[in-house]
Amino acid sequence: MALRDPLLTDLKGILLKLKDEKQPIRDSNPKVKQLCETLENIFRKGLKQPGSLFGLNKRDYWCWIEALPNYTWNDKINPLFSLAVESCKSSPKLQSHTGRGRCFMRIALVKKILGVPIEQLLKNPKLTEYWYDPTTSIIANELLKESLMSMLFLITDIQFELNLKNASFLDETWQIPVYRHYEMVPCKDLGVIVRHINGRVMVAELKPGSVAAEDDKIEPGDVLDEMFGESLYKCSRGKISQMLYQHEGWPIYVSVIKCHLRNGKIFSPLYERLAVLRKEYKNFKEPEEREPRRRIPPHAQLPRDELDEVPISSPDGSAGYRVKYIGRIEVGQDGGVNQIEGAIMSIIKKHEKQPQDYEDVWLELGETDILITNVRSRKVDIKHSYTEVSSCGRRTDALTYFAYIAGETTCTLAKSFVCYVFEAKQEEEAKTILCSIAQGFGRTTWFV
């Protein structure tokens, strides 16, 4: 074997590029896939197949990683390594050696322990020889293993922030889908029609006006991955209804694998499942590829956008804006977003000849509440919890005016709603405020 191996050359090049990144490395970075594929090829190169009769029980690098604790009883091993192994072994989302090995690799990158298993393996020459051919592998080669270990040490200088819950398709691919976690208000019906296809809970249709349909949180073709923190992979057909019944009155926590990637293309492992879904459910609107979303600055991000950046706010998580308070109007028992346009117009017409009535206020968007403080009196005139806010938005023909609607209690229980109307200095500021309100609570709906 040559003193240099192409895989090590590739690995070094990827690591040098990642070290130049100024931000933590997340799943949205295309170099993550390149890195993981290269590492996997290194781990597989020269791997023997002990105990594999005619190749029927093909093993992978996960097999020796999983067995490693059995051979290190006299050695102190990093406890994070043991926890990572147990996490991969017990995950209901993973069914194969390939998936568990990939899951371990992602955990190891985040926890900075990728070199631990190889270091422990190399301490036992017989075990190393049992698993790897020294003439064809990198890990068991006397010269190449030193280069590999130095690069694995270099990886610990890189900050990885990968979503470790996003593991459901690692059995099939290194391609990481877009993963979303939503908190929705308590309700008996999520408003999602699903079909179970190859163990996945696929979204076939959304009921108009339902919680899940708001803001395109969930779309036809998406996969429901978790609910209340429990994996839905290969779950029974009545599982979702059962969980909603058991957690009645609770906010609904659901994690979704989006059918579209960040570049607008369909997540490739879903193609066959979408074809089956089209045959099984006649009303299914099959998703099509779409234009990739351009990178959005933090102040203009909407809840559905990629949240690699954190919206601008103060250290305590609040954000403040000096705006004009125009007035309020009761909108009855319907606090939906459809009330916004009419309410804003009614308030504008009421005060159009009396602009002096507009009050200067400080609108503060905190972690849990919206506070409206009168600039002159410095008293808090209005305070609402995000759970009381049912919708927010603005008119398309008066973009500096914006409003939110709130009930007298939690919006799902409220019997009467009031719309509060404001004017921002600029259209962009109004948009930023609406985005911040909408992010305050997953139930809030908006339009811009």
Side-chain angles (χ1 to χ4, degrees):
M1 177 180 281
L3 295 180
R4 289 185 180 179
D5 188 281
L7 288 173
L8 292 179
T9 303
D10 291 345
L11 179 60
K12 183 177 180 180
I14 295 169
L15 293 180
L16 290 177
K17 290 178 181 178
L18 288 174
K19 276 186 68 68
D20 289 338
E21 298 275 354
K22 296 180 181 180
Q23 300 293 331
I25 308 302
R26 299 186 173 95
D27 287 318
S28 56
N29 191 317
K31 297 184 186 70
V32 172
K33 183 173 181 285
Q34 298 172 19
L35 173 64
C36 291
E37 287 176 338
T38 303
L39 287 169
E40 184 170 73
N41 288 334
I42 290 172
F43 274 55
R44 283 177 173 170
K45 188 167 185 178
L47 182 67
K48 295 179 180 178
Q49 293 295 327
S52 178
L53 182 62
F54 305 118
L56 295 177
N57 299 311
K58 191 173 182 179
R59 297 185 180 183
D60 210 344
Y61 58 92
W62 164 253
C63 299
W64 69 261
I65 292 176
E66 178 186 21
L68 202 56
N70 299 327
Y71 298 94
T72 56
W73 55 84
N74 290 327
D75 253 340
K76 288 185 178 179
I77 195 167
N78 191 319
L80 291 177
F81 169 75
S82 301
L83 290 172
V85 170
E86 287 303 316
S87 176
C88 295
K89 287 169 63 175
S90 61
S91 174
K93 299 182 180 183
L94 306 168
Q95 303 293 312
S96 67
H97 295 328
T98 296
R100 291 190 175 94
R102 290 171 175 174
C103 182
F104 172 82
M105 198 171 288
R106 284 169 59 81
I107 295 174
L109 287 173
V110 172
K111 302 298 182 183
K112 304 181 184 296
I113 56 170
L114 191 58
V116 172
I118 294 181
E119 185 180 9
Q120 292 296 323
L121 180 70
L122 294 177
K123 286 181 179 180
N124 191 328
K126 290 185 177 180
L127 191 63
T128 305
E129 187 179 352
Y130 180 74
W131 285 100
Y132 284 98
D133 184 342
T135 63
T136 58
S137 71
I138 294 175
I139 290 177
N141 182 280
E142 287 296 328
L143 298 174
L144 296 178
K145 67 183 181 184
E146 297 299 330
S147 297
L148 174 61
M149 289 305 297
S150 66
M151 292 185 202
L152 294 182
F153 181 76
L154 181 64
I155 289 178
T156 61
D157 292 333
I158 302 172
Q159 185 66 34
F160 288 90
E161 293 184 1
L162 310 180
N163 187 345
L164 299 179
K165 277 186 170 289
N166 195 353
S168 290
F169 282 91
L170 290 176
D171 286 327
E172 302 176 43
T173 180
W174 264 122
Q175 192 177 44
I176 303 300
V178 175
Y179 198 85
R180 294 283 183 261
H181 180 74
Y182 299 116
E183 177 184 341
M184 302 177 183
V185 290
C187 60
K188 294 182 179 180
D189 183 8
L190 195 58
V192 178
I193 298 172
V194 301
R195 290 294 183 269
H196 295 251
I197 300 174
N198 295 340
R200 308 292 179 186
V201 180
M202 305 284 297
V203 178
E205 189 179 6
L206 293 152
K207 298 177 182 178
S210 64
V211 172
E214 291 176 358
D215 187 30
D216 293 331
K217 289 185 179 74
I218 301 176
E219 302 171 278
D222 290 348
V223 178
L224 302 187
D225 188 56
E226 288 187 359
M227 185 172 287
F228 300 107
E230 185 175 337
S231 174
L232 298 177
Y233 182 43
K234 292 188 175 181
C235 70
S236 62
R237 295 187 180 273
K239 182 67 174 179
I240 294 178
S241 298
Q242 181 185 2
M243 294 177 78
L244 289 173
Y245 176 76
Q246 290 174 342
H247 296 84
E248 187 175 354
W250 290 28
I252 299 172
Y253 301 97
V254 59
S255 299
V256 180
I257 295 171
K258 302 297 291 181
C259 63
H260 286 100
L261 297 171
R262 293 174 181 85
N263 61 9
K265 295 185 180 298
I266 302 297
F267 180 44
S268 56
L270 295 183
Y271 276 119
E272 291 185 6
R273 295 175 173 90
L274 292 174
V276 174
L277 185 55
R278 185 173 62 248
K279 292 179 181 178
E280 288 193 4
Y281 192 76
K282 63 179 181 179
N283 291 333
F284 175 58
K285 295 180 180 179
E286 189 168 358
E288 298 179 351
E289 293 186 358
R290 56 195 182 196
E291 289 294 317
R293 290 197 179 100
R294 62 182 176 83
R295 199 64 172 173
I296 300 172
H299 71 275
Q301 282 189 350
L302 305 179
R304 64 170 176 261
D305 294 322
E306 176 61 28
L307 296 179
D308 273 352
E309 300 90 0
V310 178
I312 297 172
S313 61
S314 65
D316 66 352
S318 63
Y321 307 88
R322 183 163 177 163
V323 298
K324 296 280 189 181
Y325 175 54
I326 312 303
R328 51 175 280 174
I329 184 171
E330 294 183 3
V331 294
Q333 296 182 357
D334 182 5
V337 72
N338 57 297
Q339 299 278 7
I340 293 286
E341 287 199 5
I344 292 177
M345 183 53 67
S346 296
I347 290 294
I348 291 176
K349 286 183 176 180
K350 181 179 179 181
H351 295 282
E352 60 184 352
K353 295 181 180 179
Q354 302 168 317
Q356 65 274 14
D357 290 346
Y358 295 2
E359 296 180 10
D360 284 319
V361 297
W362 183 255
L363 188 151
E364 184 177 355
L365 306 174
E367 284 293 322
T368 59
D369 301 290
I370 299 173
L371 298 177
I372 311 297
T373 304
N374 189 293
V375 172
R376 260 188 308 178
S377 66
R378 297 186 179 181
K379 292 183 179 180
V380 176
D381 290 339
I382 303 170
K383 179 179 179 180
H384 288 114
S385 165
Y386 286 120
T387 58
E388 296 171 340
V389 177
S390 59
S391 59
C392 63
R394 59 181 176 174
R395 291 183 62 90
T396 55
D397 57 354
L399 293 173
T400 57
Y401 291 89
F402 66 95
Y404 72 84
I405 296 177
E408 80 280 6
T409 183
T410 302
C411 60
T412 52
L413 303 175
K415 301 298 183 183
S416 62
F417 293 88
V418 176
C419 183
Y420 299 84
V421 182
F422 305 85
E423 184 183 17
K425 296 176 183 176
Q426 298 175 343
E427 295 176 5
E428 197 62 33
E429 183 180 52
K431 182 176 181 178
T432 302
I433 293 170
L434 290 174
C435 292
S436 300
I437 295 174
Q439 289 172 346
F441 189 59
R443 177 62 169 85
T444 304
T445 60
W446 45 267
F447 65 90
V448 291

